[in-house]
Amino acid sequence: MRAMLIANPKATSTSRRARDILVRAFSGDLDLVLAETGHRGHATELARRAAVDGYDVVITLGGDGTVNEAVNGLLAEGPSADLPALAVLPSGSTNVFVRTLGMPSDPIGATRAVLDALRAGRYRTIGLGAASHPGGTERYFTFCAGVGLDAEVVREVERRRAAGAPAYNSRYAMTALRHLLSGMDRRHPALTLRQPGRPPKSGLFLAFISNTAPWTFMGRLPVNPSPKANFSRGLDVFGMRSLDVVPTLSAVAQMLAPRTRPVQGRHVVNVHDATEVTLSADRPMAFQLDGDYLGEQREVTFRSVPKAVRIVI
């Protein structure tokens, strides 16, 4: 079985020595090629080459950004049953995608799980989300997207990482709090959510789009605005029409509590199992996919892509 291991040498939690141990573990079962990423978008290029060259499996060793790039490389020509399967080894700071799949959150444990699955021929085909905006190309996401506050937080954390600061969970939380209190307009909501055949929902300050649950993690604690989101269904959306203290704290408390219902409240908007939603804004708004900041847009359309990629699990 031919496999390409795409490794991000800048990922948060895996040393080169640990990576070499993982490579040796796989080499006994696979005809393995190691490919290290050297720049943003490189994992997309490598995964696309693996698909064109007929590899059986693509294995990522990195964070959620590396997984996202690899998925977009694999699906560069669209979903197909002939594409390589995807196996994921976590070495980022949060590793949301691996954890939502129920895989071990450490690379050694995940390697054992992937090897067991490969030997037993266990795969799971999951749906993805896809996002597009006028003048841009469509891009897939695995677990979440966002327009507004969360994307602004990702932008700020990425700026600090580029300056050498580590991306700890606490940094995301503190950046979100600081930005909410002093860095964003909390009086003039800019977003309108539209679904085909349904009335628009306007007056939104932010929107989280979920392809699975939870939306993210804060340390070991899941953050869950849309607990019914699932890889086998459409997209879920959570939005807020107010960022005043009381409704915001209520929403955050519900996201952090164990629950099976979406966040509730008179300032909350929920959409479940949507095939397609469009978020438009009266001013450019920050936008992110899988924790990767993608600039500011006035309009982004998100759609569900069923049975898009095979996962080794």
Side-chain angles (χ1 to χ4, degrees), residues 4-8 33-37 42 46 49:
M4 179 183 289
L5 173 62
I6 299 175
N8 179 0
V33 171
L34 171 64
E36 283 195 342
T37 60
H42 197 185
L46 293 168
R49 191 181 81 199

Side-chain angles (χ1 to χ4, degrees), residues 10-265:
K10 296 182 180 180
T12 304
S13 62
T14 302
S15 66
R16 182 171 293 274
R17 180 174 178 274
R19 187 209 65 187
D20 292 343
I21 292 171
L22 301 182
V23 169
R24 288 197 295 272
F26 280 113
S27 296
D29 290 73
L30 303 172
D31 179 7
L32 187 71
V33 171
L34 171 64
E36 283 195 342
T37 60
H39 54 80
R40 186 166 182 162
H42 197 185
T44 297
E45 301 166 12
L46 293 168
R48 184 170 189 171
R49 191 181 81 199
V52 170
D53 291 348
Y55 278 76
D56 301 295
V57 181
V58 166
I59 305 167
T60 63
L61 176 61
D64 290 311
T66 305
V67 176
N68 180 279
E69 288 191 10
V71 164
N72 278 277
L74 288 174
L75 275 68
E77 305 299 326
S80 168
D82 297 327
L83 292 175
L86 176 68
V88 182
L89 307 179
S91 70
S93 58
T94 309
N95 304 304
V96 178
F97 182 60
V98 166
R99 294 164 75 179
T100 57
L101 288 169
M103 295 279 286
S105 57
D106 67 283
I108 301 298
T111 297
R112 294 193 189 101
V114 167
L115 281 171
D116 288 345
L118 287 170
R119 290 163 182 163
R122 290 196 305 270
Y123 302 89
R124 176 186 175 188
T125 301
I126 66 168
L128 299 173
S132 60
H133 55 82
T137 57
E138 188 170 61
R139 180 161 170 171
Y140 296 95
F141 60 97
T142 60
F143 61 91
C144 84
V147 178
L149 174 63
D150 67 322
E152 293 173 8
V153 170
V154 168
R155 176 178 61 197
E156 177 62 17
V157 172
E158 285 191 2
R159 185 187 69 80
R160 294 188 176 202
R161 287 186 70 180
Y168 296 126
N169 287 308
S170 58
R171 186 175 299 280
Y172 283 97
M174 292 305 297
T175 302
L177 179 61
R178 183 172 57 251
H179 201 72
L180 183 62
L181 294 176
S182 62
M184 68 179 299
D185 184 347
R186 295 192 292 149
R187 292 188 176 184
H188 305 101
L191 290 171
T192 297
L193 187 152
R194 292 181 172 85
Q195 284 182 268
R198 299 190 180 185
K201 297 176 172 68
S202 60
L204 300 179
F205 284 94
L206 58 83
F208 301 162
I209 300 91
S210 295
N211 186 49
T212 187
W215 173 69
T216 190
F217 291 87
M218 186 180 296
R220 295 186 178 183
L221 194 64
V223 181
N224 221 348
S226 303
K228 294 184 178 181
N230 191 287
F231 286 124
S232 62
R233 308 191 74 165
L235 302 175
D236 282 23
V237 183
F238 162 83
M240 288 286 291
R241 286 194 169 113
S242 173
L243 292 179
D244 290 342
V245 172
V246 172
T248 301
L249 289 178
S250 173
V252 170
Q254 292 182 68
M255 290 182 203
L256 297 176
R259 58 190 289 115
T260 57
R261 295 176 62 207
V263 172
Q264 302 294 305

